[in-house]
């Protein structure tokens, strides 16, 4: 049975593993490397995060691992639970569970994560993308506010982009559009400059009209502030199967 893998931050509980009973001998960095090496054999990982046990528990670590695919997470849990893996004692691995009423906002992946995900499933030469239209909307919004006599608001950098992803082996083309915004106040606090460059690799012979662009898939509008955030809130709603995770008690 086929599984849909979304180009979004995986927040679903069935894509999240909790690994505990990790030895206190290695450092957190060493454990991160060992966990990544073991669990990446089952599929592409979104994140591996290692935490020290609570002060009331005996020394050691636990980890939270996120897959893009629920199927890969299930296979990893079954294969690794109760196994020694890279240490002398067995580890415990459980899938997360979450109450159905809890829902979270869909968070966008950054560009490098999108490319990593596409390369993993389609192959490095199995896909390509091209920009159909890239437009700076910052000035348009500023002029509209001036014409409408809107009270002063913080300026922001806003871009619209329409692009097309091509899967040549499947003879498939998928157009999409989106917008992103970032407050200028935040940009002024950061060093360096922001540049947007458009370098078409080939002449566009099937350029779309404005009306055709509007008929593409619905716009996913998000703030760049979302990138890399929100995972902590998602973790707070997770519990785990069977005997729910409890830090090891002191002897």
């Amino acid at each position: 049975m086929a599984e849909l893998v979304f180009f979004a931050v995986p927040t679903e509980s069935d894509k999240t593993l909790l690994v505990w009973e990790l030895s206190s001998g290695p450092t957190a960095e060493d454990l991160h490397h060992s966990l990544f090496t073991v669990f990446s054999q089952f599929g592409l990982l979104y994140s591996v995060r290692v935490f020290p046990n609570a002060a009331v528990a005996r020394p050691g670590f636990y980890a939270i691992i996120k897959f893009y695919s629920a199927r890969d997470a299930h296979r990893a849990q079954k294969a690794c639970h109760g196994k020694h893996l890279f240490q002398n004692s067995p580890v415990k691995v459980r899938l997360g569970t979450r109450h159905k009423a809890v829902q979270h906002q869909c968070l966008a992946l950054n560009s490098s994560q999108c490319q990593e995900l596409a390369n993993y499933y389609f192959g490095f030469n199995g896909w390509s993308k091209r920009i159909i239209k890239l437009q700076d909307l910052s000035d348009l919004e500023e002029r509209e506010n001036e014409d409408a006599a809107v009270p002063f608001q913080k300026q922001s950098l806003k871009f619209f982009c329409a692009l097309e992803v091509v899967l040549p082996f499947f003879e498939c083309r998928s157009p999409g559009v989106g917008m992103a915004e970032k407050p200028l106040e935040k940009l002024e606090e950061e060093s360096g400059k922001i540049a947007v460059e458009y370098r078409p690799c080939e002449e566009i012979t099937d350029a779309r009209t404005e009306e055709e662009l509007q008929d593409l898939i619905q716009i996913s509008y998000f703030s760049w502030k979302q990138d890399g955030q929100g995972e902590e809130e998602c973790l707070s709603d997770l519990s785990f199967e069977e005997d729910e995770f409890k830090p090891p008690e002191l002897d």
Side-chain angles (χ1 to χ4, degrees):
M1 183 177 180
E3 177 188 9
L4 290 178
V5 177
F6 296 94
F7 280 73
V9 174
T11 57
E12 299 89 343
S13 56
D14 59 354
K15 298 178 182 179
T16 304
L17 296 182
L18 176 69
V19 183
W20 73 101
E21 297 290 356
L22 296 172
S23 172
S24 60
T27 64
E29 291 76 14
D30 291 338
L31 284 174
H32 182 281
H33 175 75
S34 298
L35 289 166
F36 184 89
T37 300
V38 170
F39 285 90
S40 61
Q41 299 177 40
F42 299 94
L44 186 63
L45 302 179
Y46 169 74
S47 65
V48 176
R49 304 176 66 187
V50 179
F51 305 91
N53 288 341
V56 296
R58 62 172 177 263
F61 296 88
Y62 69 96
I64 294 175
I65 300 174
K66 284 183 174 289
F67 285 83
Y68 286 100
S69 162
R71 180 182 298 173
D72 293 341
H74 278 264
R75 290 193 302 112
Q77 191 275 327
K78 291 181 179 180
C80 297
H81 177 63
K83 302 297 177 59
H84 291 251
L85 300 182
F86 47 80
Q87 60 182 38
N88 294 328
S89 57
V91 301
K92 294 183 179 180
V93 184
R94 287 290 181 265
L95 280 165
T97 58
R98 178 179 291 136
H99 299 293
K100 294 182 179 180
V102 178
Q103 294 183 349
H104 288 282
Q105 180 182 6
C106 181
L107 302 176
L109 296 175
N110 62 39
S111 177
S112 61
Q113 290 169 329
C114 286
Q115 293 186 44
E116 180 184 38
L117 191 55
N119 288 338
Y120 183 83
Y121 284 101
F122 300 129
F124 183 79
N125 295 319
W127 69 284
S128 63
K129 68 180 186 299
R130 68 180 182 88
I131 295 177
I132 299 173
K133 182 168 185 174
L134 180 64
Q135 183 176 358
D136 183 357
L137 303 180
S138 309
D139 293 337
L140 293 177
E141 185 178 54
E142 184 177 348
R143 288 198 297 269
E144 288 176 358
N145 291 339
E146 291 176 354
D147 296 339
V150 177
F152 175 76
Q153 298 177 351
K154 292 183 179 179
Q155 293 182 334
S156 60
L157 185 66
K158 183 184 293 186
F159 277 88
F160 164 86
C161 182
L163 59 80
E164 183 177 60
V165 175
V166 181
L167 306 178
F169 298 147
F170 299 96
E171 298 183 351
C172 175
R173 294 173 178 266
S174 178
V177 293
M179 288 194 299
E181 181 177 13
K182 189 174 183 69
L184 285 177
E185 181 181 15
K186 180 66 176 178
L187 298 179
E188 292 171 355
E189 296 174 358
E190 298 175 354
S191 60
K193 298 180 179 180
I194 289 183
V196 177
E197 185 178 15
Y198 173 34
R199 294 184 299 176
C201 58
E202 58 183 14
E203 183 180 357
I204 300 176
T205 57
D206 59 341
R208 302 172 185 266
T209 65
E210 295 293 332
E211 291 75 14
E212 289 174 323
L213 289 175
Q214 292 175 1
D215 292 334
L216 295 178
I217 63 173
Q218 67 178 11
I219 292 177
S220 299
Y221 180 77
F222 63 93
S223 169
W224 287 344
K225 288 184 178 180
Q226 292 178 356
D227 186 26
Q229 297 182 358
E231 189 172 355
E232 289 74 10
E233 289 80 354
C234 298
L235 295 180
S236 64
D237 297 312
L238 288 174
S239 59
F240 292 85
E241 289 180 348
E242 211 171 273
D243 45 343
E244 292 186 357
F245 168 67
K246 297 179 181 178
E249 300 293 340
L250 289 172
D251 296 330

